Amino acid sequence: DTGVSQNPRHKITKRGQNVTFRCDPISEHNRLYWYRQTLGQGPEFLTYFQNEAQLEKSRLLSDRFSAERPKGSFSTLEIQRTEQGDSAMYLCASSSLSGPDNSPLHFGNGTRLTVT
Amino acid sequence: QKEVEQDPGPLSVPEGAIVSLNCTYSNSAFQYFMWYRQYSRKGPELLMYTYSSGNKEDGRFTAQVDKSSKYISLFIRDSQPSDSATYLCAMSARGAQKLVFGQGTRLTINP
């Protein structure tokens, strides 16, 4: 168990550019989540996958944001036409379906996005 | 009003002190309660996970849930400088996949 892995750790981009982040969950976990965290705040839910199916999306996830999880393994989060307000830490988490309904989430160390 | 309220601190205590952290919430459907610890520039790390009301102890950490008051607490005994971090409470309803987090309390343990 190597934990949840996120790449890159830090991304600096200019306003208007597109960025893509990758998350590799814990291998036996079939649920995968994306959260966003701004400075001094707790993480906010963005979206959730069970295997390859995206089952829930927050209204925070505007049409500039898209997430995928092909083959139910790794996931990518893409932000198109980035804005300065997109600057945040993007956290990925995973959990197991085989446990209780609400198995605890295990987080990666995040990708810190800075939009200049 | 936020669903989960947590005092952001900062909270500063001497080494060895007992630390009390707490959160209140408004959604009576919440049944799963978690505490996460987050070091600077790292992701949240799960500390405690409890279901419904009651107490749970793990080493120096004790989590308490009082659903009647919609109030949860985390106690840290014999606090160490390495406990200095931001502590986040989180909760969810049964069957819901979304965790709702508090703002986090920034804690410093002074040697």
Side-chain angles (χ1 to χ4, degrees):
Chain A
D1 178 0
T2 56
V4 177
S5 176
Q6 291 189 248
N7 288 287
R9 289 298 313 277
H10 194 183
K11 178 71 175 178
I12 302 173
T13 191
K14 291 181 190 268
R15 186 163 50 97
Q17 297 296 306
N18 299 344
V19 293
T20 300
F21 312 139
R22 177 178 170 125
C23 171
D24 288 272
I26 293 172
S27 57
E28 62 268 25
H29 286 182
N30 45 18
R31 290 177 171 171
L32 186 147
Y33 310 77
W34 286 97
Y35 282 76
R36 180 172 68 188
Q37 186 177 27
T38 54
L39 197 62
Q41 301 298 316
E44 294 178 296
F45 172 80
L46 291 178
T47 190
Y48 145 66
F49 290 84
Q50 184 167 303
N51 299 313
E52 67 275 10
Q54 188 173 17
L55 297 184
E56 189 174 348
K57 291 197 298 185
S58 164
R59 57 187 170 83
L60 292 175
L61 211 67
S62 77
D63 55 7
R64 295 185 299 106
F65 288 68
S66 62
E68 293 182 344
R69 193 182 182 199
K71 302 179 183 178
S73 54
F74 70 92
S75 177
T76 58
L77 177 68
E78 180 183 17
I79 309 175
Q80 295 182 328
R81 305 181 303 281
T82 52
E83 302 172 356
Q84 287 188 320
D86 297 331
S87 295
M89 172 85 91
Y90 290 83
L91 292 162
C92 178
S94 67
S95 70
S96 171
L97 179 59
S98 61
D101 288 351
N102 294 63
S103 297
L105 272 59
H106 298 268
F107 283 86
N109 283 326
T111 293
R112 182 173 298 278
L113 174 65
T114 303
V115 182
T116 62
Chain B
Q1 183 184 4
K2 292 182 179 180
E3 276 189 291
V4 179
E5 298 278 358
Q6 183 176 12
D7 186 338
L11 180 62
S12 181
V13 301
E15 183 176 356
I18 295 175
V19 176
S20 172
L21 305 167
N22 53 73
C23 291
T24 58
Y25 62 95
S26 57
N27 188 345
S28 58
F30 288 149
Q31 294 196 35
Y32 295 87
F33 303 93
M34 284 135 275
W35 286 96
Y36 284 85
R37 176 175 63 195
Q38 187 173 27
Y39 292 114
S40 180
R41 300 188 180 276
K42 298 286 189 181
E45 170 194 9
L46 181 68
L47 278 179
M48 301 290 279
Y49 173 72
T50 55
Y51 170 70
S52 195
S53 285
N55 294 0
K56 183 174 183 178
E57 187 173 322
D58 185 359
R60 298 185 294 110
F61 298 91
T62 299
Q64 288 186 350
V65 175
D66 182 350
K67 290 188 68 182
S68 62
S69 303
K70 296 190 178 68
Y71 187 91
I72 70 170
S73 300
L74 177 71
F75 297 94
I76 307 173
R77 291 182 299 280
D78 187 25
S79 55
Q80 305 294 312
S82 59
D83 294 328
S84 299
T86 295
Y87 289 78
L88 296 154
C89 64
M91 45 199 81
S92 67
R94 185 177 182 88
Q97 293 308 313
K98 185 179 78 168
L99 275 187
V100 181
F101 281 85
Q103 185 176 353
T105 299
R106 189 173 169 188
L107 172 67
T108 300
I109 309 296
N110 300 305

